[in-house]
Amino acid sequence: MLVLLIEDDPELSDGIATFLAGQGDSVVVEANGMAADRLLQEKNFDIVLVDVGLPGLSGYEIVRRIRERRQALPVIMITARDALDDRIYGLDLGADDYLSKPFELAELTARMRATTRRGANNVARRIEFGPLSMDMQGRFASLAEQPLIVSSREWDLLSTLAAADGHTVPKERLQGDGSVNALEVYVYRLRRRLEAAGLSIRTVRGFGYRLEVTGGVANKTRHDANR
């Protein structure tokens, strides 16, 4: 993977970069938040590891800008701030995972694998489900013709539900390597944004979830591999 590591502690960034390089990853290290934000607009990375406390721009602001630009690349926040409110704030901004310092490098790589493994399994280049349109190649989503800004984890969840064509998707498939509680949080957040446009994520108790257009789902989905 091509990894952007945004960390201003040189000892920590050197240790992470060396370890990841030993695992076969290519790592770009940037200590300044503003410079990192420019890099994100110039180069396509596979995953971003970002500290919160940075010169130039905070890690929170970097994540906010990533999602504002509708970049659905995976983001893991690595920080000494481990309070619940800090974690919730980072996830609400669009981070996919949150790792508190100090941490084991093996855990970091496991979380990286889990985060990047969750999506990109759709063959169709575009999926349309009622008012929802998802460009699978460009990883852009729109809802009722308005940009829909989602995190990488939310993208994976929503695209899997949309691709299921109104059928129920087992909770275990949607959960992946994350926890049940994390899945329920993402479902709740997506519901709030979808319902106003006439989409609903229906809970099928004891099994999973399905995406529905309010009033029915028949003939509402199109998978287009040629667009």
Side-chain angles (χ1 to χ4, degrees), residues 27-153:
V27 184
V28 176
V29 178
E30 180 53 64
N32 182 277
M34 189 68 74
D37 188 59
R38 287 195 296 268
L39 276 175
L40 285 163
Q41 298 174 65
E42 298 167 356
K43 197 173 185 67
N44 293 321
F45 294 93
D46 295 308
I47 191 169
V48 178
L49 310 176
V50 57
D51 189 14
V52 170
L54 295 165
L57 285 179
S58 74
Y60 290 138
E61 178 62 16
I62 290 172
V63 174
R64 189 192 68 78
R65 292 187 180 197
I66 287 173
R67 298 316 179 205
E68 189 175 64
R69 291 192 294 264
R70 296 191 294 168
Q71 292 176 278
L73 74 162
V75 177
I76 297 178
M77 304 200 80
I78 50 174
T79 177
R81 302 184 186 182
D82 60 355
L84 178 60
D85 287 346
D86 290 324
R87 296 198 300 271
I88 291 174
Y89 184 60
L91 293 172
D92 281 344
L93 284 174
D96 298 284
D97 203 350
Y98 202 108
L99 190 57
S100 298
K101 300 175 184 177
F103 53 82
E104 296 292 333
L105 291 173
E107 180 181 4
L108 172 63
T109 54
R111 287 177 182 256
M112 290 170 60
R113 289 194 302 270
T115 301
T116 56
R117 200 163 50 222
R118 286 169 182 153
N121 60 354
N122 292 283
V123 176
R125 299 178 73 176
R126 181 179 296 274
I127 297 176
E128 296 184 357
F129 192 99
L132 174 68
S133 178
M134 303 187 76
D135 180 341
M136 304 307 294
Q137 187 174 34
R139 292 181 74 85
F140 296 127
S142 62
L143 184 65
E145 300 184 353
Q146 298 297 315
L148 178 64
I149 301 171
V150 294
S151 69
S152 177
R153 184 67 183 94

Side-chain angles (χ1 to χ4, degrees), residues 92 143 185-197 199 201:
D92 281 344
L143 184 65
V185 169
Y186 285 116
V187 168
Y188 172 74
R189 286 167 52 183
L190 282 172
R191 274 180 176 147
R192 289 190 302 171
R193 300 158 74 183
L194 298 177
E195 286 176 351
L199 283 180
I201 300 178

Side-chain angles (χ1 to χ4, degrees), residues 205-223:
R205 194 171 299 279
F207 188 71
Y209 300 93
R210 68 170 176 262
L211 189 64
E212 296 182 349
V213 176
T214 304
V217 298
N219 301 318
K220 293 294 185 181
T221 309
R222 183 170 74 210
H223 305 257

